[in-house]
C-alpha cells in the first residue's frame, strides 16, 4: 500500500472560519510533509515532521498550524485565512534518510478556496 | 540555495514518438532525484527515484538518468501515448535528512492521437 489519503478533497471557507485538513498513511513512514501548490506553480514546502516532531517550518504564517498526533496522521489547522491562501494543499510521506530509500509519496491534495 | 530548472516548459508530440524531458540543478550535493507526474487538479504520482550513487532507473516505458557532477537528469518516455499527457515534475532531495524536495517548474506534456 503506497497510498497517502487526504480529506477533504475540496474545502471552501470564509476568512473567519476554522477548519482542518487531514492526512493519513500506513506505510510506516516517520517523515510527513505539508506542501502548498498555487496554480501553474510547483509545490512549495511548508512543514516537515519527523518522528512526530516538527522539524522544519518554512516561515509559514501562524494562521497555519500543523499537528502530528501519531505516526500515521498529519493535520493542518486553518484559521483566519486570506483569499491568497487559496491553493492545492498536498500531504506527503517518506522514510527518513537513516532508513534508506526516501521516495516521497503524495496524496491527492485538498483544493482550498478562501472566500 | 538549490535551484531546479526544467526544459522545455511545454511539449506537444504525436502519439508514438519517443521524447526526452530535461531537468538541471545547481547544487550537485543531492541525496536523490525524483520524477513525478501530475494530472490537472490532482496530486503527484511518483514515477522514478534515482539515488545519487545511481546513473539510471527504468520503469516500463520510462527511463530516468542522472549525471550528478553536471547537475542534470533526463526522463525518457518511449512510444508516447495520449494517456501520458500530464505535467512532469522533477524534484531534488538535498542535503538534509528530512527529505525536503526542491521542485522544478515542470514540463507540460501533450500527446495527441
Amino acid at each position: 500500500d503506497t497510498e497517502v489519503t487526504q480529506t477533504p478533497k475540496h474545502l471552501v471557507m470564509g476568512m473567519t472560519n476554522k477548519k482542518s485538513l487531514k492526512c493519513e498513511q500506513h506505510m510506516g513512514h516517520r517523515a510527513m510533509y505539508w506542501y502548498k501548490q498555487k496554480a501553474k506553480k510547483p509545490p512549495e514546502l511548508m512543514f516537515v515532521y519527523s518522528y512526530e516532531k516538527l522539524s522544519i517550518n518554512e516561515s509559514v504564517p501562524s494562521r497555519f498550524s500543523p499537528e502530528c498526533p501519531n505516526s500515521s496522521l498529519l493535520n493542518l489547522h486553518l484559521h483566519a485565512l486570506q483569499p491568497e491562501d487559496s491553493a492545492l494543499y498536498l500531504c506527503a510521506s517518506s522514510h527518513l534518510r537513516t532508513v534508506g530509500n526516501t521516495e516521497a509519496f503524495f496524496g491527492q491534495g485538498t483544493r482550498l478556496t478562501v472566500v | 540555495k538549490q535551484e531546479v530548472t526544467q526544459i522545455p516548459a511545454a511539449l506537444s508530440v504525436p502519439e508514438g514518438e519517443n521524447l526526452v524531458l530535461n531537468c538541471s540543478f545547481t547544487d550537485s550535493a543531492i541525496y536523490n532525484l525524483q520524477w513525478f507526474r501530475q494530472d490537472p487538479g490532482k496530486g503527484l504520482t511518483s514515477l522514478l527515484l534515482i539515488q545519487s550513487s545511481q546513473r539510471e532507473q527504468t520503469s516500463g516505458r520510462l527511463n530516468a538518468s542522472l549525471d550528478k557532477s553536471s547537475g542534470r537528469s533526463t526522463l525518457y518516455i518511449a512510444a508516447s501515448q495520449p494517456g501520458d499527457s500530464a505535467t512532469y515534475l522533477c524534484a531534488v532531495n538535498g542535503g538534509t535528512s528530512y527529505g525536503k524536495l526542491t521542485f522544478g517548474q515542470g514540463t507540460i506534456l501533450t500527446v495527441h492521437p
Side-chain angles (χ1 to χ4, degrees):
Chain A
D1 180 12
T2 58
E3 189 171 347
V4 176
T5 304
Q6 289 187 242
T7 55
K9 288 186 170 50
H10 302 275
L11 179 63
V12 179
M13 61 184 291
M15 288 188 284
T16 58
N17 290 159
K18 286 185 181 180
K19 295 286 185 183
S20 297
L21 310 185
K22 297 185 185 300
C23 173
E24 188 169 5
Q25 57 88 17
H26 296 287
M27 293 177 277
H29 292 166
R30 302 306 293 275
M32 296 187 76
Y33 315 82
W34 281 114
Y35 284 83
K36 174 181 178 179
Q37 186 178 26
K38 300 283 280 185
K40 301 188 187 303
K41 297 290 187 183
E44 294 182 339
L45 183 68
M46 300 174 71
F47 303 103
V48 180
Y49 273 82
S50 61
Y51 296 111
E52 296 85 68
K53 291 189 182 345
L54 183 64
S55 301
I56 296 178
N57 176 343
E58 292 285 282
S59 302
V60 179
S62 60
R63 57 186 184 268
F64 295 91
S65 176
E67 177 195 23
C68 190
N70 61 54
S71 60
S72 299
L73 293 174
L74 185 67
N75 299 321
L76 186 63
H77 302 298
L78 313 173
H79 174 55
L81 295 192
Q82 303 298 310
E84 58 265 30
D85 296 321
S86 298
L88 182 67
Y89 288 83
L90 294 162
C91 173
S93 71
S94 74
H95 285 303
L96 288 163
R97 181 171 297 174
T98 50
V99 181
N101 183 336
T102 61
E103 183 176 6
F105 294 91
F106 281 76
Q108 287 298 298
T110 293
R111 172 69 61 189
L112 174 67
T113 303
V114 182
V115 297
Chain B
K1 178 186 171 188
Q2 179 75 269
E3 293 184 2
V4 181
T5 302
Q6 290 188 244
I7 294 174
L11 183 61
S12 180
V13 300
E15 182 176 6
E17 265 201 18
N18 302 324
L19 54 99
V20 175
L21 308 182
N22 297 290
C23 173
S24 61
F25 46 94
T26 55
D27 185 350
S28 62
I30 66 169
Y31 187 65
N32 59 42
L33 183 146
Q34 201 166 347
W35 283 93
F36 294 92
R37 168 191 173 132
Q38 186 173 32
D39 294 299
K42 303 293 186 183
L44 278 64
T45 299
S46 178
L47 298 174
L48 289 164
L49 173 78
I50 311 179
Q51 303 285 5
S52 62
S53 59
Q54 296 176 321
R55 297 284 295 182
E56 66 178 76
Q57 282 284 343
T58 297
S59 176
R61 295 183 293 108
L62 305 180
N63 176 278
S65 67
L66 175 64
D67 184 344
K68 199 174 86 160
S69 61
S70 67
R72 295 178 187 276
S73 177
T74 62
L75 179 68
Y76 176 83
I77 302 177
S80 58
Q81 303 170 356
D84 295 330
S85 299
T87 297
Y88 290 80
L89 294 156
C90 77
V92 169
N93 183 340
T96 73
S97 63
Y98 302 118
K100 174 182 176 179
L101 296 176
T102 301
F103 285 85
Q105 295 289 322
T107 294
I108 302 171
L109 173 64
T110 303
V111 181
H112 47 88

